[in-house]
Amino acid sequence: MPTLTIDGIEVEVEAGLTVLQACEQAGIEIPRFCYHERLSVAGNCRMCLVEMERAPKPVASCAMPVGDGMVITTNSPAVKKMREGVMEFLLINHPLDCPICDQGGECDLQDQALGYGLDRSRYTEQKRAVKDKDLGPLIGTEMTRCIHCTRCIRFSSEVAGVPEMGATGRGEHMEVGTYIEKALTSELSGNMIDLCPVGALTSKPYAFSARPWELKKTESIDVMDAVGTAIRVDTRGPEVMRVLPRLNEDVNEEWISDKGRFACDGLKRQRLDTPYVRRDGALQPATWDDAFAAIAENLKGQDGSSFAAIAGDMACVESMTALKNLSEALGSNNTDCRADGAALDAGTRAGYLFNTTIAGIDDSDACLIIGSNPRREAPVINARIRKRYLMGGFKAGLVGESVDLTYACDNLGAGVETLNEILEGKHAFSKVLKNAKKPMLILGQGALMRSDGAAVLGLARKLAEAYDMVTDGWNGFNVLHTAAARVGGLDIGFVPSKGGLDVAGILDGAVSGKIKTVYLLGADEIDTSKLANAFVIYQGHHGDAGAHAADVVLPGAAYTEKNATYVNTEGRIQHTRLAVFPPGDAREDWTIIRALSDVLGKTLPCNSLDDVRSRMAAMNPVFGGEELVTAEWGTFGSDGAIESGGFASCIETYYMTDPISRNSETMARCIRALYGDSEGKTGTDG
Amino acid sequence: MSTDEKTIEQPVSFEFSDENREKIKAQLAKYPKGKQASGVMPLLDLAQRQSGGWLPRAAMDHVAEVLDMAPIRVYEVATFYTMYNLKPIGDHHVQVCTNVPCWLRGSDNVVSACRKKLGIEFGETTEDGKFTLSEVECQGACVNAPMVLIGDDFYEDLDEGSMAAILDELQGGGTPTPGPQNDRKGCEPLGGLTSLKDQKGDG
């Protein structure tokens, strides 16, 4: 390991690092604009200049590999003067519009100009002005501010894998953009806003709405998909202003999908802020007492077996725990959290988790994707697979619809026939899996939502076992979830017990009259037309499909409005935090069920969040333990016959999958921009 | 680049001719497998020639498709080099070098001859669509400065008179002889060799 001296401090660093990284390890901060640790080195901003002994000129520390015995100076007057020179050049064409710039207060250029900028400009000639680009409904541009660091260009071609940004023209006329006017099609495009060190790329929906120092920042978890992206919710008063990603190397690194970032404006529309009771055929505002009384009236004298509960895609573990307990108290076994009908087996935890873990993708060397489009279902995980692909020595194959996943991925076939061929070793990909040291497979919900889903699950398990995907210290069997609530629901056993009905059974039962009361806990992705004969209680935060079918609506809290537990697709237990209070009369979800249980005379023994959480731990010890535990392998799925026919992804339109994103104007604009005006494109196009 | 090239009328599609497809094969044979993107410049040149001296967007997209590149990567190359024209040009593209060696040797006079004769400024095309005048950086013929590039030919050792004569001839439909417009032979000293006169050379 090379040893070098930086400002008199001797540090030993890994070979292959750059001088800039070595400086950071020595605790010295080097100013930079173009350098970013997750992107390739560009070396074009020159802000990171340092002095190197025996070098005739200053060196760009971001592009200089460390060498043994190097002597680096970062704090000499000469270095300061060099950086001041670079800064002066950068500011020549940068407008002095900080007071009206959205980046103000969180701008790298502003911050570093404080350290290296002159107090006045010596430049008297015309400044350059650049026409703004239209990059679609998410990213606003003010290209005159661009300092040509090329981070956005490198991000789009390296991380996102959708090379649409580029630098056209040259010299004074160089411009960053897409050249032809078009909306960016990456599901990760919003990250360019964070990467932009100046205010050239800014968030369009958030434009001119707040200053960073007036926002309250709450660390939380995203629930728009099942990745469990770490987020920071920025709020002002009762309003969520924006959502930003937080660093979590194990999950999202520092990226976030566009839906997670931009759908938050859906939190302001169509909210349920007061209870409703259906009177004379129409839902009418009511008090909590009225709503509970209506439910009590309905349940009076009713047998428990005619009560059913379905948990939706965004339900937290706390509320599902309370509802499960209430159902049991009422004598009902008809509870199901698999609103999409996926044939997941709650019995074996390894059978419904992304066991490899997201960070574990980095270690795998072959990946078989079954009935999934990870680019749409979990863009951040897809970026991780792409990252693994770019490292080399990685083969990916897809069974299902042919899609552009942003990395080389052979389409092996459409459906079950191909899976059987692979299992029998007759397919070319069998060899790839056989020779791989750490093979993995990703099973999408699209393959499990079919009527023969259990058999597909069983087949996938056999595949995993046949190709030694499950060994000591490695589990290559992965289920990719799309609903943030699903794993948590399965963990507490929110599934039919002792002959209870599943979602399909409940819906059919509601039609036949066997099921009289259905409790929908944020469940909107079901066929609500089948519920016409039943008494429907809807608890949730948006007036969506579920609320329209309801007889009693109980207003709950969205993920930004409660301290709640979500388990991501890996089985990682994470907590959202209350950033704003629920609107109007809406309440945190578990408290609603607790209050209802009191009215029904089945009082649940939990009076605080801690009580609920200890009940969760009692139902499944994982909730009492560490954030992420390895699940034991077991038997799951069935051996049944599988119908032929191809697998399809479970997500048709990426931008609208849940009540929040369906109510988001930004997401609606995305759909218009990407699918609205082009012929021959469907919701599943890239 | 200026924005006006985005507003010009673009042909809907572009396909390489059979003849050019043969040439592409020869070009791409020069590069290792998987590195065919290196051939983007010669391919753009072929596309430009086939499209009548300029590169429509469809042609750039087609090149991207042939080379399996992202279209933006092709746009980057095409906008970087002055040799690619992103809007239609006249029959004769007169590209005057105004870099230091040419300027010291009188490129100002060459430029004014062009302006006077054609009645247009840099970046403009004559109304009859015959001439486009451009200012370019060094073309590497400094030894015979000042020079202009018209089409594929260098015209060197120019002055106001010879430049006007060349334009006249082009206007009349003729083909002026390329190379030095004085008595210089190639890039030998003006007035014949001054040294190594008795050397026959080896060809």
Side-chain angles (χ1 to χ4, degrees):
Chain A
M1 297 225 296
T3 307
L4 61 166
T5 313
I6 302 169
D7 295 345
I9 311 166
E10 211 165 86
V11 281
E12 200 182 339
V13 295
E14 248 176 85
L17 290 192
T18 62
V19 172
L20 188 146
Q21 288 168 317
C23 289
E24 282 192 334
Q25 287 192 10
I28 296 159
E29 201 185 328
I30 307 286
R32 86 288 301 265
F33 294 111
C34 71
Y35 174 80
H36 191 277
E37 58 266 31
R38 288 179 220 281
L39 303 174
S40 63
V41 171
N44 55 7
C45 78
R46 318 309 288 179
M47 196 61 200
C48 64
L49 292 178
V50 295
E51 270 188 296
M52 188 169 86
E53 198 181 70
R54 293 196 299 277
K57 294 186 287 185
V59 298
S61 61
C62 72
M64 173 64 76
V66 291
D68 201 28
M70 268 184 179
V71 179
I72 304 287
T73 316
T74 72
N75 54 4
S76 65
V79 169
K80 183 151 199 304
K81 198 152 195 303
M82 290 165 203
R83 292 181 185 161
E84 280 172 358
V86 171
M87 178 60 78
E88 192 171 6
F89 273 116
L90 286 175
L91 291 179
I92 276 182
N93 277 322
H94 191 82
L96 258 178
D97 61 354
C98 301
I100 55 147
C101 175
D102 261 337
Q103 194 84 354
E106 50 186 4
C107 173
D108 289 357
L109 189 64
Q110 207 176 29
D111 293 350
Q112 289 174 38
L114 200 68
Y116 300 101
L118 297 176
D119 61 350
R120 69 204 62 204
S121 176
R122 293 187 290 176
Y123 185 72
T124 53
E125 285 148 62
Q126 284 283 317
K127 283 196 177 214
R128 188 181 104 110
V130 182
K131 198 164 173 269
D132 286 339
K133 310 285 183 289
D134 182 7
L135 300 182
L138 301 178
I139 302 181
T141 60
E142 192 70 54
M143 295 317 285
T144 305
R145 295 179 188 142
C146 176
I147 58 167
H148 297 173
C149 72
T150 69
R151 275 186 189 178
C152 53
I153 300 173
R154 283 174 285 149
F155 176 84
S156 71
S157 49
E158 291 164 19
V159 178
V162 188
E164 290 174 330
M165 296 288 284
T168 52
R170 66 165 151 179
E172 174 86 352
H173 302 290
M174 176 178 151
E175 288 185 16
V176 172
T178 52
Y179 187 66
I180 45 169
E181 300 264 303
K182 61 178 275 192
L184 299 176
T185 59
S186 166
E187 290 81 5
L188 292 164
S189 63
N191 294 296
M192 288 180 210
I193 299 167
D194 294 341
L195 286 172
C196 184
V198 295
L201 305 182
T202 52
S203 169
K204 217 176 220 175
Y206 170 74
F208 309 125
S209 57
R211 284 298 191 189
W213 56 83
E214 59 183 7
L215 298 174
K216 195 184 90 183
K217 293 145 184 103
T218 311
E219 299 198 339
S220 191
I221 299 298
D222 176 45
V223 301
M224 295 295 168
D225 54 29
V227 177
T229 299
I231 55 167
R232 193 185 88 191
V233 182
D234 283 7
T235 53
R236 189 177 58 191
E239 198 179 354
V240 175
M241 301 304 292
R242 61 174 178 179
V243 169
L244 295 177
R246 270 189 301 136
L247 192 72
N248 187 346
E249 293 293 348
D250 291 333
V251 179
N252 58 313
E253 299 185 297
E254 61 187 81
W255 316 126
I256 185 174
S257 66
D258 283 351
K259 191 163 47 179
R261 181 192 300 264
F262 291 110
C264 62
D265 62 340
L267 291 167
K268 288 178 252 179
R269 297 178 73 234
Q270 283 285 323
R271 287 304 301 270
L272 299 172
D273 55 0
T274 184
Y276 288 87
V277 175
R278 194 173 288 278
R279 292 189 189 106
D280 312 324
L283 281 172
Q284 291 178 358
T287 62
W288 278 106
D289 290 339
D290 291 346
F292 286 160
I295 296 169
E297 173 72 26
N298 169 260
L299 288 176
K300 199 152 77 188
Q302 200 185 115
D303 185 53
S305 64
S306 60
F307 177 86
I310 301 174
D313 291 351
M314 287 181 161
C316 57
V317 184
E318 282 83 358
S319 58
M320 284 189 283
T321 303
L323 185 55
K324 173 86 183 158
N325 287 340
L326 178 65
S327 304
E328 280 166 358
L330 290 170
S332 166
N333 297 325
N334 311 321
T335 50
D336 202 350
C337 65
R338 299 161 301 185
D340 53 9
L344 291 159
D345 191 337
T348 310
R349 195 159 192 252
Y352 58 84
L353 290 189
F354 199 94
N355 294 293
T356 304
T357 73
I358 296 169
I361 294 171
D362 295 353
D363 298 326
S364 80
D365 48 2
C367 180
L368 174 65
I369 300 170
I370 305 166
S372 172
N373 177 356
R375 180 173 168 189
R376 240 156 243 286
E377 295 170 20
V380 172
I381 291 181
N382 198 53
R384 197 77 173 222
I385 303 174
R386 177 175 161 80
K387 181 183 160 193
R388 175 65 195 86
Y389 161 76
L390 291 177
M391 285 187 228
F394 177 79
K395 273 276 203 193
L398 171 73
V399 180
E401 283 176 311
S402 186
V403 282
D404 173 19
L405 292 176
T406 72
Y407 41 86
C409 184
D410 303 327
N411 191 294
L412 309 174
V416 180
E417 294 78 8
T418 317
L419 280 188
N420 277 323
E421 274 177 37
I422 297 173
L423 183 62
E424 288 158 18
K426 286 189 215 148
H427 199 281
F429 202 75
S430 310
K431 218 167 134 194
V432 175
L433 289 174
K434 190 145 237 139
N435 295 337
K437 287 194 183 69
K438 290 186 166 179
M440 63 185 280
L441 69 82
I442 295 176
L443 184 58
Q445 299 300 300
L448 297 171
M449 277 156 55
R450 303 148 46 109
S451 54
D452 54 359
V456 175
L457 184 65
L459 184 59
R461 176 177 56 80
K462 275 182 243 161
L463 260 174
E465 284 165 357
Y467 288 101
D468 288 334
M469 290 189 190
V470 187
T471 56
D472 258 356
W474 177 257
N475 189 339
F477 180 85
N478 300 295
V479 175
L480 183 61
H481 289 271
T482 52
R486 197 72 79 249
V487 176
L490 292 167
D491 276 347
I492 58 153
F494 202 97
V495 286
S497 55
K498 288 175 239 140
L501 299 172
D502 61 5
V503 169
I506 293 169
L507 292 178
D508 290 341
V511 173
S512 70
K514 195 175 152 204
I515 296 292
K516 296 197 174 66
T517 308
V518 181
Y519 199 118
L520 300 178
L521 181 61
D524 296 289
E525 326 308 318
I526 51 170
D527 184 3
T528 50
S529 66
K530 289 190 172 173
L531 295 173
N533 295 336
F535 183 81
V536 179
I537 305 158
Y538 179 83
Q539 174 179 344
H541 41 76
H542 274 83
D544 207 67
H548 287 299
D551 295 290
V552 174
V553 172
L554 306 175
Y559 69 109
T560 50
E561 295 152 8
K562 56 185 173 186
N563 295 307
T565 305
Y566 286 92
V567 187
N568 82 347
T569 189
E570 306 168 280
R572 187 182 299 275
I573 294 153
Q574 306 187 102
H575 304 289
T576 60
R577 306 248 182 288
L578 183 142
V580 289
F581 286 99
D585 272 345
R587 293 288 180 270
E588 270 194 47
D589 290 272
W590 74 268
T591 62
I592 297 173
I593 299 163
R594 164 68 180 72
L596 176 64
S597 70
D598 210 21
V599 176
L600 298 179
K602 310 274 182 195
T603 309
L604 297 176
C606 42
N607 295 318
S608 68
L609 192 60
D610 284 345
D611 287 351
V612 187
R613 289 195 173 154
S614 48
R615 284 194 74 77
M616 280 155 50
M619 289 162 91
N620 190 336
V622 295
F623 289 105
E626 286 170 32
E627 181 180 293
L628 185 68
V629 288
T630 314
E632 290 283 326
W633 190 247
T635 315
F636 49 84
S638 75
D639 284 334
I642 305 175
E643 296 161 30
S644 57
F647 299 132
S649 169
C650 60
I651 292 190
E652 215 172 285
T653 310
Y654 166 71
Y655 295 101
M656 283 192 183
T657 52
D658 51 77
I660 298 178
S661 54
R662 273 196 293 272
N663 281 300
S664 160
E665 285 179 36
T666 311
M667 294 292 102
R669 275 196 284 271
C670 283
I671 287 178
R672 271 204 298 279
L674 293 179
Y675 310 124
D677 51 355
S678 50
E679 75 277 342
K681 280 202 169 181
T682 64
T684 50
D685 263 322
Chain B
M1 298 301 269
S2 59
T3 48
D4 56 347
E5 70 210 24
K6 286 172 189 161
T7 55
I8 53 171
E9 206 175 309
Q10 295 274 354
V12 191
S13 66
F14 175 90
E15 280 276 329
F16 275 118
S17 63
D18 291 343
E19 188 192 344
N20 275 340
R21 245 177 256 166
E22 287 305 309
K23 286 184 186 164
I24 290 170
K25 248 183 236 163
Q27 283 294 343
L28 295 186
K30 294 178 187 169
Y31 306 106
K33 210 169 161 260
K35 306 280 181 194
Q36 74 281 8
S38 305
V40 63
M41 293 189 63
L43 259 67
L44 282 173
D45 184 49
L46 287 174
Q48 173 159 301
R49 284 164 197 277
Q50 191 182 317
S51 316
W54 72 292
L55 271 175
R57 193 179 304 145
M60 294 192 273
D61 289 343
H62 186 62
V63 168
E65 204 184 304
V66 170
L67 297 177
D68 194 19
M69 297 167 77
I72 182 72
R73 297 281 101 85
V74 177
Y75 306 150
E76 285 179 326
V77 173
T79 53
F80 187 88
Y81 294 100
T82 48
M83 111 189 211
Y84 301 116
N85 304 305
L86 299 173
K87 47 187 176 183
I89 53 159
D91 301 339
H92 305 290
H93 190 194
V94 182
Q95 305 181 64
V96 189
C97 172
T98 55
N99 267 180
V100 175
C102 282
W103 175 67
L104 287 172
R105 297 277 297 141
S107 67
D108 283 353
N109 298 333
V110 176
V111 173
S112 72
C114 292
R115 281 194 178 130
K116 236 184 269 169
K117 205 81 211 163
L118 304 174
I120 51 173
E121 294 296 316
F122 284 135
E124 293 178 354
T125 302
T126 50
E127 266 174 31
D128 59 3
K130 272 205 159 163
F131 293 93
T132 298
L133 187 61
S134 298
E135 184 179 30
V136 292
E137 307 298 331
C138 185
Q139 297 288 314
C142 313
V143 67
N144 291 357
M147 64 80 66
V148 301
L149 170 64
I150 302 175
D152 288 335
D153 295 321
F154 279 15
Y155 295 88
E156 298 152 349
D157 287 316
L158 295 165
D159 54 28
E160 202 157 355
S162 55
M163 185 71 235
I166 289 169
L167 292 176
D168 276 338
E169 202 173 339
L170 286 170
Q171 189 87 51
T175 313
T177 319
Q181 299 301 306
N182 53 10
D183 300 331
R184 196 200 299 269
K185 185 181 168 212
C187 52
E188 284 177 0
L190 193 56
L193 292 179
T194 56
S195 61
L196 304 173
K197 288 181 194 165
D198 47 352
Q199 298 275 323
K200 287 253 161 75
D202 49 11

